[in-house]
Amino acid sequence: MDAPTHKLGIEDIADRITDAVMEHRLPPGIKLVEEKLANAFGVSRTKIRQALTLLATEGLVTIHANRGAFVARPTAADARDLFATRRLLEPEIVRNVITHACPAHLARLRAHLDEEAEARRHGDRRRIIRLSGQFHMLLAHASGNHFIEKLMAELCPLTCLIIALYDEPQTPACPEDEHSQIVEAIALRDEARAVSLMLQHLDHIERALHLEAPAAREIHWEALYG
Ligand SMILES: [Zn+2]
């Protein structure tokens, strides 16, 4: 086995596994065999175990005592519960942002919209999914409610995983332009419109999901590194 010339850190390994999950190279529910991953990345099993523990805290990996680690497989019911929770939280976020947001927050949101547009121009799906999640986290941060922000920090990565797993590969994570319409309603302090746009937006994302089981396929472990 050829060892890589540079040392991969735990977060690098976690990032590469995340990419493989988001790009459907590792399907939901697949067992993440420590030994195979250690060989693929040219690192120790201890390092792999630490990376898997990190991913478990983000909800991307499920660790079962004695059975090992698996790519999380959120069910259709999980997805529905997750969106129901976001429909409770995000109208409150939007109302708080309208009350508390300063010009700097709005400028940051608009800069983020430019980044999203750029990623769409390049058809960079993985980046689009990540930026879409970050948009909702930026709003949660601007809301000034630390408890809601903490809840959203738990829900957003799981939403990204659900979108990556169950959305049509060619469709966007968050429908185009909906984020900018929300930001414009916030900038105009039009609370009713901003809340209604946010609820419609969450409905659109949920309705685009296809929650049937993905087909079984062969895994190319050696391709995970590189
Ligand atoms: Zn969105």
Side-chain angles (χ1 to χ4, degrees):
M1 177 190 53
D2 290 339
T5 49
H6 63 285
K7 279 213 185 286
L8 284 175
I10 290 152
E11 288 196 1
D12 298 322
I13 296 166
D15 281 349
R16 282 168 205 236
I17 295 173
T18 301
D19 289 348
V21 172
M22 296 295 178
E23 289 165 4
H24 300 201
R25 284 183 282 130
L26 284 174
I30 192 88
K31 184 170 165 113
L32 295 165
V33 184
E34 278 177 17
E35 196 181 345
K36 284 185 178 175
L37 289 169
N39 287 338
F41 289 109
V43 299
S44 68
R45 286 180 62 166
T46 308
K47 230 172 187 182
I48 294 295
R49 206 169 301 139
Q50 287 169 325
L52 294 176
T53 304
L54 177 65
L55 291 168
T57 63
E58 292 172 2
L60 203 69
V61 161
T62 312
I63 296 175
H64 298 284
N66 305 321
R67 287 205 293 130
F70 298 80
V71 174
R73 181 158 48 187
T75 62
D78 291 335
R80 277 191 289 273
D81 287 349
L82 184 137
F83 279 98
T85 310
R86 289 188 57 170
R87 274 193 292 271
L88 283 176
L89 294 178
E90 294 196 68
E92 180 66 9
I93 288 173
V94 163
R95 282 190 285 268
N96 285 349
V97 172
I98 289 175
T99 312
H100 297 119
C102 59
H105 282 131
L106 277 174
R108 179 71 194 89
L109 285 167
R110 290 206 168 102
H112 183 89
L113 295 176
D114 292 342
E115 279 182 63
E116 285 190 24
E118 180 72 11
R120 283 184 210 284
R121 267 198 297 280
H122 287 96
D124 188 342
R125 182 175 152 75
R126 185 165 21 118
R127 194 165 145 71
I128 291 167
I129 292 178
R130 287 202 172 161
L131 286 171
S132 293
Q134 277 172 25
F135 172 78
H136 293 265
M137 282 311 300
L138 274 178
L139 281 180
H141 179 69
S143 80
N145 183 325
H146 300 298
F147 297 107
I148 288 185
E149 191 180 351
K150 212 168 135 188
L151 288 169
M152 286 294 289
E154 195 180 322
L155 297 177
C156 275
L158 207 50
T159 312
C160 282
L161 173 65
I162 286 170
I163 290 169
L165 296 181
Y166 297 111
D167 209 354
E168 293 288 342
Q170 66 277 16
T171 56
C174 284
E176 210 164 341
D177 286 339
E178 293 192 358
H179 287 175
S180 45
Q181 289 172 25
I182 292 167
V183 171
E184 287 325 302
I186 288 171
L188 294 169
R189 300 190 177 275
D190 187 341
E191 189 181 298
R193 180 170 161 76
V195 167
S196 137
L197 284 171
M198 177 57 88
L199 288 172
Q200 282 172 34
H201 178 59
L202 292 170
D203 279 344
H204 291 161
I205 304 169
E206 187 177 0
R207 278 212 301 267
L209 299 176
H210 299 269
L211 293 162
E212 68 278 6
R217 74 192 94 104
E218 202 173 324
I219 309 302
H220 300 283
W221 295 95
E222 64 285 354
L224 291 178
Y225 175 66

